[in-house]
Amino acid sequence: MSFVHIVTFPRSGHHAMIEQLESVSDIYVNYCEYYNCIGRHGERIDCNKSNLIWKEKGFSCGAGRRIIKDHDFELLLPYSHGDKYIIQLRNPILSILSWYELDSKNESLKLPDFKTYFRQKMKFWVDFVEKWYPVISNSNVIYVPYENLAIKEKLIELALFMDLPLKTDSLYDSTSFSIKRKEVKDDGFLGEEENKISSYLEKLGLEKVVI
């Protein structure tokens, strides 16, 4: 079976997708968090790379798991026709605001002012899209916008794409996932930033959120 790289821009609903997939398949026995060598319930995974920082892991799981999460922070994850890829994206306004809220809670981080932080992350989003958009129509790639996580048929498509057996008794609950924060009120800055990426949003099928 192929390795599956779940390439997700941070704060695009990755963990929600994994939880939703678990309701229709047994993804956790094949899944590697990559950045942390821990299992679904926080248990340690017997991984020969567990003492390495993520930059040293080499895009593979030391415990032999074949479904691997990757944010591709350094844009170095190689694309191979022999592997499979799931590309996860959300409107970056929402992703970056969520990312900023998360980082703001980490007292060990020294964050720049909000606008500088936002523009740095937006540049990463644009670079991320420019790297991965050209391959999203390939047969070994599935693109998953955030809004699709509430669609059972999409979850089944993803499970089959990853060669996961479907559960005979599905635990899927349409109310277990709700799309968060669809609109953002703004005094000008976020609207200007969103307008700069209008063409990307259009081709990715992502709606504008700034009002």
Side-chain angles (χ1 to χ4, degrees):
M1 292 184 181
S2 301
F3 283 101
V4 181
H5 302 275
I6 305 178
V7 191
T8 174
F9 187 84
R11 316 305 291 172
S12 293
H14 173 75
H15 291 104
M17 183 183 77
I18 297 301
E19 290 172 6
Q20 290 290 87
L21 278 167
E22 177 67 7
S23 73
V24 300
S25 67
D26 291 316
I27 186 171
Y28 276 106
V29 297
N30 296 285
Y31 173 72
C32 174
E33 174 72 18
Y34 188 65
Y35 298 95
N36 301 292
C37 295
I38 56 175
R40 179 183 182 184
H41 301 293
E43 71 276 15
R44 294 288 295 177
I45 294 174
D46 184 14
C47 174
N48 61 24
K49 297 184 179 182
S50 62
N51 294 321
L52 301 179
I53 61 173
W54 64 268
K55 292 183 180 181
E56 299 172 341
K57 290 187 175 181
F59 312 115
S60 63
C61 175
R65 300 188 176 196
R66 62 180 185 83
I67 299 173
I68 304 167
K69 167 190 174 182
D70 201 310
H71 288 310
D72 202 13
F73 282 124
E74 297 186 325
L75 301 173
L76 295 175
L77 176 65
Y79 172 77
S80 168
H81 290 285
D83 290 347
K84 292 182 177 181
Y85 300 82
I86 295 171
I87 311 299
Q88 272 196 281
L89 286 167
R90 185 184 188 187
N91 182 306
I93 302 295
L94 300 176
S95 293
I96 296 170
L97 287 175
S98 177
W99 199 350
Y100 182 75
E101 290 173 4
L102 180 66
D103 280 353
S104 295
K105 296 175 183 177
N106 188 340
E107 296 180 357
S108 66
L109 293 177
K110 294 182 179 180
L111 302 183
D113 64 273
F114 173 73
K115 289 185 177 181
T116 298
Y117 178 97
F118 189 93
R119 288 181 174 130
Q120 290 172 348
K121 302 305 186 188
M122 182 63 85
K123 182 182 184 306
F124 172 45
W125 187 87
V126 170
D127 291 342
F128 185 100
V129 170
E130 290 188 343
K131 174 181 177 179
W132 291 105
Y133 179 76
V135 303
I136 63 172
S137 296
N138 291 5
S139 61
N140 65 330
V141 179
I142 289 185
Y143 164 52
V144 185
Y146 177 77
E147 288 73 15
N148 282 10
L149 299 182
I151 303 173
K152 182 178 181 180
E153 290 75 15
K154 189 66 177 182
L155 297 173
I156 292 174
E157 178 189 359
L158 286 168
L160 294 175
F161 176 77
M162 290 187 276
D163 300 307
L164 294 173
L166 299 179
K167 289 181 175 177
T168 53
D169 296 320
S170 173
L171 301 176
Y172 175 79
D173 179 357
S174 60
T175 64
S176 65
F177 174 78
S178 58
I179 298 172
K180 300 177 182 177
R181 203 172 181 179
K182 292 183 179 179
E183 295 181 342
V184 176
K185 292 184 179 180
D186 173 51
D187 60 0
F189 171 72
L190 293 178
E192 291 177 3
E193 292 299 307
E194 189 176 52
N195 285 335
K196 292 176 184 177
I197 58 163
S198 293
S199 61
Y200 292 105
L201 296 179
E202 182 176 356
K203 65 185 181 181
L204 289 165
L206 300 174
E207 294 182 0
K208 287 190 171 185
V209 296
V210 178
I211 57 174

